[in-house]
Amino acid sequence: MAIDNLTVKYGYVWDALNEEQRKEVMTMGEDYKAFMDASKTERTCTNELVKRAEAAGFVNIDNVTELKAGDKVYSVARGKNVTMAVIGSEEVAKGVSIVGSHIDSPRLDLKANPLYEAEGMALLKTHYYGGVRKYQWVARPLALYGIVIKADGTSVEIAIGDDENDPVFYISDLLPHLAADQNKKTLAEGIGGEDLNAMIGSLPMGDEKAEIRFKKNVLTLLNEKYGMVEEDFVSAELELVPAGKARDIGLDRGSIAAYGHDDRVCAYTSMQALFEVADQPLKKTAIALFVDKEEVGSNGNTGMHSRYFANLLGTMIELQKGSCSGFDIDRCMAKSALLSSDVAAASDPNWPGVAEARNTAYLGKGVTIVKYTGSRGKGGCNDANAEFVGEVRKCLNDAGVTWQTSELGKVDQGGGGTIAFILANADMDVVDIGVPVLSMHAPFEVISKADLYSTAQAYRAFYLR
Ligand code: MN
Ligand code: MN
């Protein structure tokens, strides 16, 4: 063997692409930004995924009476989970190929009794969702999204702040002139959870003798526009997210900043990969799975721990065989393979101390295979089998995908996890593989367009293997 072939080289995606592919990278970047602008929450992302699936010829599995090779179906659960499947020539019961991402992102949820007034302002109490660095969410424009179930059972959807004619919402921070005490606190303590109160109004109604005039003015406006009363906040899911569109970064437009790359970038790339293989003959049924609640531990009926996905596999088996037992589902899981498609930490030249240079992901070096996550001594991780990592690695190499491999920072620096362990616990082969991200969980995160492209290539190769 030539001596040069003994060493591993992880290069830049861009260098491995021809002129046509480089154009494809830029085209995909434009489409991805449009996807992200329509996908500011798990619910709006669900709507966008369904819209695109239907445009690509997928039909709702609830309207299907049989499943045969080549069929394209999707399923939606509770407005926050989506599954898309392209049926293979082999029975679903013999195992499927899944790429699984999550479509929830860190944000500020409204509390059940959010609205109050103080000092000439109407404000909203929030409760942060997921791993939020609180100091990043103040003094910036925020948009309000969600759904309200009203007293009569009807629902109304709210989306305020991303149309340029909309108002936005705002959480104030201290001026530096008076921040002497705050400045002595740690970064984690400088802004407290109960300090994240967002301004929703500042005009009083009625005469000076009336009470809670600022709050009543907001309630009047909400009632006029949405037919809401204050009690309706109890049966609502309302989220404050960063206002604004995804934007290119840099003069060469090589990267994209957006809210919620974690993990909608892996949702987008798995959707694209599935659409690209949807009209090719597949042996294994190819599935793109999009789940909610990953950022808070994957619990609940829309998280990966839910029986939703197992029940859906059962429905698919039943549509093919006429019946399905619990063991049929378990055996299908055990014969399936999952790429847990979640973002990875990209090495950051502003913060070189937290990564270990030989085992970190770099922006632009492609989709990254993360054999294990976890913290401390790999605590809580899914440590993927060498055999399955080998299969994925061969699959990427055979397809000419530029990839890299990484773990989440230096040993004992911190840690994290994904949905990987949940389906691995169901006896499935699982490995984490996804897009490197700068400023993960910040209101505005950054990815490389080349990595977006490489990741879609990788997922496509996995479906076709
Ligand atoms: Mn994630
Ligand atoms: Mn995350």
Side-chain angles (χ1 to χ4, degrees), residues 285-338:
T285 290
I287 292 180
L289 171 64
F290 312 89
V291 296
D292 179 31
K293 293 287 182 280
E294 191 276 343
E295 296 293 358
V296 291
S298 295
N299 292 309
N301 52 21
T302 58
M304 193 66 249
H305 283 298
S306 158
R307 291 288 300 169
Y308 156 72
F309 184 61
N311 291 341
L312 180 66
L313 285 178
T315 299
M316 294 169 76
I317 294 169
E318 190 180 48
L319 283 167
Q320 287 193 323
K321 303 202 330 178
S323 67
C324 176
S325 71
F327 185 59
D328 287 335
I329 299 172
D330 290 346
R331 192 166 40 194
C332 171
M333 292 265 205
K335 290 179 175 172
S336 295
L338 168 76

Side-chain angles (χ1 to χ4, degrees), residues 408-420:
L408 184 50
K410 276 181 177 168
V411 177
D412 287 339
Q413 186 70 42
T418 65
I419 62 168

Side-chain angles (χ1 to χ4, degrees), residues 102 262-263 294-295 342-343:
H102 68 92
D262 179 8
D263 182 35
E294 191 276 343
E295 296 293 358
D342 206 341
V343 295

Side-chain angles (χ1 to χ4, degrees), residues 180-465:
D181 289 342
Q182 186 197 32
N183 285 344
K184 289 180 196 140
K185 295 183 179 177
T186 66
L187 206 53
E189 294 163 344
I191 304 286
E194 295 294 351
D195 300 334
L196 296 171
N197 307 311
M199 190 169 160
I200 187 176
S202 52
L203 291 181
M205 80 181 296
D207 65 36
E208 290 163 42
K209 289 183 222 101
E211 305 218 325
I212 51 169
R213 303 155 70 208
F214 296 88
K215 175 175 168 175
K216 277 183 181 160
N217 196 37
V218 167
L219 282 171
T220 301
L221 293 168
L222 287 172
N223 187 263
E224 282 169 7
K225 180 107 192 256
Y226 304 107
M228 272 183 76
V229 297
E230 189 175 13
E231 193 181 280
D232 293 339
F233 281 116
V234 172
S235 49
E237 285 179 6
L238 292 167
E239 310 173 9
L240 284 168
V241 299
K245 293 178 185 302
R247 302 288 295 267
D248 286 342
I249 296 279
L251 296 179
D252 56 13
R253 298 182 175 270
S255 293
I256 297 172
Y259 163 65
H261 285 314
D262 179 8
D263 182 35
R264 295 177 195 128
V265 66
C266 292
Y268 174 84
T269 43
S270 56
M271 172 197 73
Q272 276 307 114
L274 190 72
F275 289 172
E276 284 172 29
V277 304
D279 294 318
Q280 300 185 41
L282 300 172
K283 184 167 167 238
K284 291 270 182 205
T285 290
I287 292 180
L289 171 64
F290 312 89
V291 296
D292 179 31
K293 293 287 182 280
E294 191 276 343
E295 296 293 358
V296 291
S298 295
N299 292 309
N301 52 21
T302 58
M304 193 66 249
H305 283 298
S306 158
R307 291 288 300 169
Y308 156 72
F309 184 61
N311 291 341
L312 180 66
L313 285 178
T315 299
M316 294 169 76
I317 294 169
E318 190 180 48
L319 283 167
Q320 287 193 323
K321 303 202 330 178
S323 67
C324 176
S325 71
F327 185 59
D328 287 335
I329 299 172
D330 290 346
R331 192 166 40 194
C332 171
M333 292 265 205
K335 290 179 175 172
S336 295
L338 168 76
L339 295 187
S340 166
S341 61
D342 206 341
V343 295
S347 187
D348 186 338
N350 281 334
W351 304 98
V354 301
E356 187 264 293
R358 296 187 57 79
N359 289 284
T360 187
Y362 293 92
L363 205 71
K365 289 194 168 183
V367 66
T368 183
I369 299 172
V370 182
K371 186 175 182 292
Y372 51 84
T373 55
S375 50
R376 301 175 307 280
K378 299 192 178 181
C381 76
N382 167 58
D383 201 343
N385 297 13
E387 290 86 345
F388 185 57
V389 178
E391 187 183 330
V392 171
R393 168 189 162 209
K394 181 172 185 310
C395 166
L396 302 193
N397 282 340
D398 289 350
V401 178
T402 301
W403 56 272
Q404 55 186 324
T405 185
S406 63
E407 61 176 298
L408 184 50
K410 276 181 177 168
V411 177
D412 287 339
Q413 186 70 42
T418 65
I419 62 168
F421 76 96
I422 303 165
L423 285 172
N425 287 352
D427 198 14
M428 198 179 289
D429 277 323
V430 181
V431 67
D432 280 303
I433 173 167
V435 178
V437 173
L438 282 178
S439 308
M440 194 192 296
H441 285 205
F444 222 34
E445 305 170 315
V446 174
I447 59 135
S448 147
K449 288 181 185 176
D451 295 337
L452 179 79
Y453 184 81
S454 151
T455 302
Q457 279 185 312
Y459 297 162
R460 184 176 58 206
F462 173 73
Y463 284 138
L464 293 172
R465 86 195 192 289

